[in-house]
Amino acid sequence: MSKSKEQLEIKINKNWCKGCGICIAFCPKKVLGFDDNGKVNMNDRENCIKCGQCELRCPDFAIFLGGIDNE
Amino acid sequence: MKNSELVSKYMRDSRLPHIWCPGCGHGIIMHSIIRAIENLGLDKDKVTIVSGIGCSSRAPGYMDFNTLHTTHGRALAFATGIKLAKPDMKVIVISGDGDASAIGGNHLIHAARRNIGITTIVFNNNIYGMTGGQYSPTTPHGDFGTTAPYGNIDRPFDIANLAAAAGATYAARTTAFHATQMTNYIQKAIAHEGFSLVEAISVCPTYYGRKNKKGSAVAMMNFLKESFVDVKAAERMTPEQLQGKFLMGEFKHNTQLPEYSAEYQKIVDRLRKE
């Protein structure tokens, strides 16, 4: 990844999330949680350190560090 | 952007989400494979991914390379043909524990014996998931499966060491929890000239986990985190400390032995001259 951390943001594709909870359990800052549908939700964007541990172990490619500009 | 750059580049994203159960470790291993390919900077058209039958063998359907979904256990036989026809191709076989060590057990040991330049990634979830949880050659002794309702009396295979003993020149084991290390091993395995095998320990919360009361996917991932010890660290541990632990790491890395398709080419070249 060539982008610096400031240009990155955690993005979630809820259509692909199956709610296994692996990303939530292994997040070192505990900023992720479940939403009302049992899928992953970013609860605390301020404290996210953008380490990418969630992306590393998501079995469903549903959470990742993506560019902040492109939507 | 809807998906990560890596997914857009290497996956057939119209096929996603995949069919694997919530918390299945196979997706983590598939992600590690594409990360390894990205790190190596391989041309997508110069990579062929071959699989047999089983949960793991669905993976090539989601991956945007030359892909082949073959018969049960025979992925290595098809891959051998591809490697001999196109020696420049990077051939990667994705197989499950049952597919690689039971149905395709002979193909595995003979591909290893020949030291043919194929990389085999075994997605080991300790059970036959797709068909409903029958015990496989890697189901631990005493554990339960649909076909072992009173506990499994077999002793399990150690696939990484089986391949190493049969002649594979690169053999390693790692787990879905240790995904960064997995990417590293897969990268080394793909770059390796001879037969390389990475045994990737997966988790199956639906069948193996439920039959053996292992808890949620998160609990099973924590089990991997806590019970796998690197071979180098294990050398300094006492037998008591190693009680109930499993070994991971690189078991064999030999770059001296000749690769099969290159040896075959030498014969072709020699006979053409004569």
Side-chain angles (χ1 to χ4, degrees):
Chain A
M1 292 271 171
S2 53
K3 293 187 183 76
S4 70
K5 275 194 174 180
E6 291 73 50
Q7 292 171 291
L8 294 171
E9 190 177 83
I10 290 291
K11 304 215 166 178
I12 295 168
N13 180 351
K14 295 211 182 196
N15 289 330
W16 288 3
C17 177
K18 292 173 187 162
C20 66
I22 290 175
C23 59
I24 300 171
F26 295 107
C27 172
K29 302 300 277 182
K30 303 287 170 214
V31 298
L32 300 167
F34 287 113
D35 69 8
D36 296 340
N37 295 321
K39 301 201 175 193
V40 65
N41 194 50
M42 172 54 91
N43 289 343
D44 186 2
R45 202 172 283 284
E46 290 259 296
N47 283 318
C48 171
I49 55 168
K50 302 173 186 179
C51 63
Q53 292 284 309
C54 48
E55 179 178 356
L56 183 68
R57 298 201 183 86
C58 173
D60 294 286
F61 308 89
I63 186 164
F64 61 97
L65 274 169
I68 216 160
D69 314 317
N70 36 30
E71 209 20 79
Chain B
M1 195 173 64
K2 206 175 154 219
N3 303 317
S4 72
E5 283 170 33
L6 211 58
V7 170
S8 309
K9 190 170 170 188
Y10 294 109
M11 306 294 288
R12 294 171 179 151
D13 50 10
S14 62
R15 298 270 170 197
L16 292 167
H18 53 61
I19 59 148
W20 296 321
C21 305
C24 172
H26 286 13
I28 306 173
I29 306 170
M30 184 160 74
H31 207 156
S32 284
I33 296 173
I34 61 168
R35 251 185 236 117
I37 290 173
E38 164 78 8
N39 293 349
L40 288 166
L42 300 179
D43 178 355
K44 270 172 31 170
D45 293 332
K46 294 277 181 210
V47 176
T48 302
I49 302 187
V50 190
S51 71
I53 298 293
C55 289
S56 61
S57 300
R58 303 288 302 213
Y62 305 117
M63 303 169 83
D64 192 17
F65 300 92
N66 302 294
T67 57
L68 195 61
H69 193 177
T70 74
T71 50
H72 208 353
R74 272 66 188 163
L76 275 164
F78 286 86
T80 299
I82 296 165
K83 188 69 187 175
L84 289 177
K86 288 191 173 292
D88 295 335
M89 191 72 86
K90 285 284 181 194
V91 184
I92 301 171
V93 168
I94 292 179
S95 190
D97 46 313
D99 194 51
S101 68
I103 299 96
N106 262 299
H107 292 296
L108 176 71
I109 58 175
H110 290 284
R113 176 177 63 82
R114 287 169 170 159
N115 194 32
I116 187 162
I118 296 171
T119 300
T120 304
I121 317 289
V122 179
F123 290 29
N124 182 357
N125 57 3
N126 307 106
I127 207 143
Y128 287 99
M130 183 169 275
T131 48
Q134 292 81 5
Y135 71 89
S136 82
T138 58
T139 304
H141 182 85
D143 277 3
F144 298 91
T146 312
T147 45
Y150 307 110
N152 178 23
I153 59 168
D154 292 11
R155 286 189 303 132
F157 260 147
D158 176 337
I159 296 180
N161 281 309
L162 170 74
T169 44
Y170 183 89
R173 174 163 49 232
T174 178
T175 83
F177 176 80
H178 303 88
T180 309
Q181 185 195 46
M182 186 186 292
T183 307
N184 182 13
Y185 287 170
I186 293 173
Q187 213 173 307
K188 277 171 120 171
I190 296 173
H192 183 73
E193 289 292 325
F195 186 82
S196 54
L197 181 137
V198 177
E199 182 184 356
I201 307 292
S202 185
V203 293
C204 175
T206 302
Y207 284 109
Y208 180 72
R210 213 180 276 168
K211 292 263 176 222
N212 293 289
K213 302 197 166 42
K214 297 281 184 189
S216 66
V218 171
M220 293 182 80
M221 288 286 280
N222 268 318
F223 176 79
L224 296 182
K225 180 185 176 185
E226 279 148 25
S227 50
F228 276 81
V229 182
D230 196 89
V231 274
K232 291 199 181 98
E235 284 169 7
R236 296 189 298 272
M237 288 166 74
T238 62
E240 290 78 46
Q241 286 174 315
L242 285 171
Q243 197 71 40
K245 301 282 185 199
F246 301 93
L247 295 180
M248 63 177 190
E250 288 174 303
F251 299 104
K252 198 168 176 187
H253 193 187
N254 180 343
T255 52
Q256 304 302 316
L257 293 169
E259 193 271 322
Y260 190 74
S261 63
E263 291 297 296
Y264 188 77
Q265 192 58 44
K266 278 185 201 162
I267 295 215
V268 172
D269 293 345
R270 197 181 80 208
L271 293 177
R272 279 203 178 129
K273 255 184 238 161
E274 280 170 12

